[in-house]
């Protein structure tokens, strides 16, 4: 059943959050350790069978709020997102990337060019919502992805990875890809994003992985290894795309493949989950996973309301930065710390 544009946006936002929460307990673990820890079907395991979100979801929300407030004005979007990142940092988020940390400090110090030379996956975890919301305007997508990227990362590879995610999300939201697209069509689109030699090698690796007899294993070896998928854009983005493509239409299987791969699991799962969510819509995400999200102020109810706000100005959803993130982050840190102690125990 085709997914409407509004449902694709809702699925993209919720799908990213659920992937983030599902992957978080496995963050930094190797595939071997994850295989030993997992028992049965994939489920939340951070806190009493519930999931909480990390910086990936916060950033997706900030982007969505900024897009709504700026109404297509790129300079206003950049200013709005920059202030949210500034305020977010003083709320002591856990797990913020080093490049993002340095860039936000530069924002506070008044640097006009705040980005640092890095190809981390921060911009890519923000870009799916840009693509979904601006699905019918390619030039606007390009400009907004560029603005979002340069706030924190200046390596062109970071922009290319972020744009790839945005372009896929756009084709899902505007119903161009109602079913899994032909592989050659996907590869052609990705190849045209950049002439960079490394990116072209990445695109070739995506194609080879998807055509292999055991595509996930080949992709994991190609873009990861024994320690899992790293936070480098040229590893995170292709693996997220492969997981989404191979399991098109199955949100569960997409996230399951990402979790099993290990490494920077929450970010890869957030990106792949956003694409998978845009493919299946809100109801295509397992109900128990949606209902199992336990967070605040970025709750599952707020995610759904914010997604509706995108296309309906009459929907009441707060768009200001919530300083309730500060006490929430303190509680989150304690929960993650307790969970970390558990990860020190067998099985190894």
């Amino acid at each position: 059943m085709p997914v409407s544009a509004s449902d694709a946006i809702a699925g993209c936002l919720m799908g990213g959050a659920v992937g983030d929460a599902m992957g978080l307990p496995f963050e930094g673990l190797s595939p071997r350790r994850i295989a030993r820890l997992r028992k049965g079907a994939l489920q939340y395991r951070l806190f009493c069978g519930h999931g909480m979100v990390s910086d990936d979801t916060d950033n997706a929300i900030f982007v969505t709020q900024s897009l709504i407030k700026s109404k297509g004005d790129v300079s206003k979007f950049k200013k709005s997102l920059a202030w949210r990142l500034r305020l977010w940092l003083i709320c002591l988020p856990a797990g913020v990337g080093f490049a993002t940390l340095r860039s936000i400090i530069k924002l506070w110090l008044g640097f006009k060019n705040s980005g640092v030379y890095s190809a981390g996956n921060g911009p890519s975890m923000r870009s799916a919502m840009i693509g979904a919301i601006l699905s019918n305007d390619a030039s606007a997508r390009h400009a907004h992805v560029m603005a979002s990227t340069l706030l924190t990362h200046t390596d062109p590879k970071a922009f290319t990875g972020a744009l790839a995610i945005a372009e896929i999300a756009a084709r899902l939201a505007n119903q161009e890809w109602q079913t899994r697209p032909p592989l050659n069509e996907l590869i052609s689109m990705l190849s045209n994003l950049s002439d960079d030699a490394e990116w072209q090698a990445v695109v070739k690796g995506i194609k080879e992985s998807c055509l292999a007899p055991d595509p996930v294993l080949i992709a994991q070896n190609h873009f990861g290894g024994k320690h899992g998928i790293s936070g480098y854009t040229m590893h995170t983005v292709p693996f997220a795309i492969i997981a989404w493509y191979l399991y098109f239409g199955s949100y569960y299987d997409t996230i399951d493949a990402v979790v099993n791969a290990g490494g920077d699991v929450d970010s890869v799962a957030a990106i792949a989950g956003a694409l998978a969510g845009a493919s299946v819509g809100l109801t295509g995400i397992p109900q128990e996973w949606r209902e199992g999200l336990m967070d605040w102020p970025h709750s599952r109810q707020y995610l759904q309301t914010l997604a509706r706000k995108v296309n309906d100005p009459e929907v009441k959803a707060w768009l200001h930065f919530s300083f309730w993130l500060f006490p929430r982050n303190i509680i989150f840190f304690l929960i993650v710390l307790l969970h970390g102690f558990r990860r020190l125990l067998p099985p190894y």
Side-chain angles (χ1 to χ4, degrees):
M1 182 176 180
V3 175
S4 67
S6 59
D7 198 25
I9 290 171
C12 187
L13 188 58
M14 182 65 75
V18 170
D20 178 16
M22 193 62 68
L24 185 61
F26 302 99
E27 173 75 2
L29 297 180
S30 68
R32 178 176 176 274
R33 183 80 193 284
I34 290 173
R36 289 175 176 267
L37 284 173
R38 279 195 57 178
K39 295 180 180 179
L42 190 61
Q43 58 186 336
Y44 289 127
R45 50 188 298 137
L46 184 68
F47 185 70
C48 300
H50 292 278
M52 297 182 73
V53 300
S54 71
D55 59 311
D56 304 271
T57 301
D58 289 343
N59 276 253
I61 288 172
F62 298 153
V63 162
T64 305
Q65 292 171 336
S66 298
L67 284 168
I68 295 172
K69 287 181 70 68
S70 60
K71 300 178 181 179
D73 187 316
V74 178
S75 61
K76 290 182 179 179
F77 166 78
K78 185 175 182 179
K79 183 178 180 180
S80 177
L81 180 57
W83 269 111
R84 280 167 170 73
L85 292 175
R86 287 187 184 98
L87 298 175
W88 178 63
L89 183 62
I90 65 175
C91 288
L92 305 180
V96 59
F98 187 51
T100 300
L101 172 64
R102 287 184 290 159
S103 65
I104 299 176
I105 290 174
K106 289 177 69 176
L107 282 171
W108 273 114
L109 294 176
F111 282 78
K112 183 177 180 180
N113 298 315
S114 57
V116 299
Y117 193 79
S118 169
N121 57 22
S124 297
M125 69 192 192
R126 294 195 292 263
S127 63
M129 287 304 295
I130 296 176
I133 293 173
L134 302 176
S135 62
N136 294 312
D137 192 335
S139 61
R141 284 198 304 275
H142 188 282
H144 283 76
V145 171
M146 178 67 79
S148 170
T149 300
L150 292 180
L151 272 175
T152 54
H153 296 67
T154 61
D155 189 327
K157 294 181 179 65
F159 170 70
T160 302
L163 186 61
I165 298 302
E167 289 301 312
I168 293 174
R171 285 160 175 76
L172 296 171
N174 66 20
Q175 299 184 315
E176 182 178 339
W177 288 349
Q178 295 182 19
T179 58
R180 182 166 60 184
L183 181 58
N184 285 339
E185 183 177 339
L186 171 65
I187 294 302
S188 176
M189 184 276 284
L190 294 173
S191 182
N192 290 332
L193 295 180
S194 173
D195 294 329
D196 176 74
E198 186 175 359
W199 176 250
Q200 291 300 318
V202 162
V203 175
K204 181 180 179 182
I206 292 174
K207 183 175 182 179
E208 291 176 349
S209 298
C210 290
L211 293 174
D214 192 342
V216 175
L217 179 61
I218 296 302
Q220 187 171 333
N221 291 335
H222 197 93
F223 299 109
K226 65 179 182 179
H227 299 298
I229 311 302
S230 78
Y232 178 45
T233 300
M234 297 293 112
H235 293 163
T236 297
V237 167
F239 192 85
I241 291 174
I242 290 168
W244 157 77
Y245 185 80
L246 290 175
Y247 299 106
F248 190 101
S250 175
Y251 185 89
Y252 178 96
D253 289 337
T254 300
I255 301 303
D256 190 56
V258 172
V259 168
N260 289 336
D264 192 8
V265 182
D266 64 330
S267 294
V268 184
I271 296 169
L275 297 181
S279 302
V280 302
L282 192 63
T283 58
I285 302 168
Q287 182 178 355
E288 63 271 24
W289 287 8
R290 286 182 278 129
E291 294 179 350
L293 273 180
M294 180 192 68
D295 219 315
W296 191 81
H298 294 164
S299 63
R300 68 177 185 275
Q301 292 87 354
Y302 178 68
L303 290 167
Q304 293 176 248
T305 304
L306 183 63
R308 293 199 303 271
K309 178 75 173 177
V310 171
N311 292 315
D312 186 355
E314 299 301 316
V315 171
K316 294 183 179 179
W318 47 266
L319 299 177
H320 58 274
F321 181 89
S322 176
F323 283 98
W324 284 111
L325 280 172
F326 177 70
R328 178 269 177 196
N329 285 341
I330 300 300
I331 296 171
F332 177 74
F333 174 76
L334 295 175
I335 292 173
V336 169
L337 188 63
L338 290 172
H339 186 77
F341 285 132
R342 164 61 188 91
R343 288 181 13 168
L344 295 174
L345 303 176
Y348 299 113

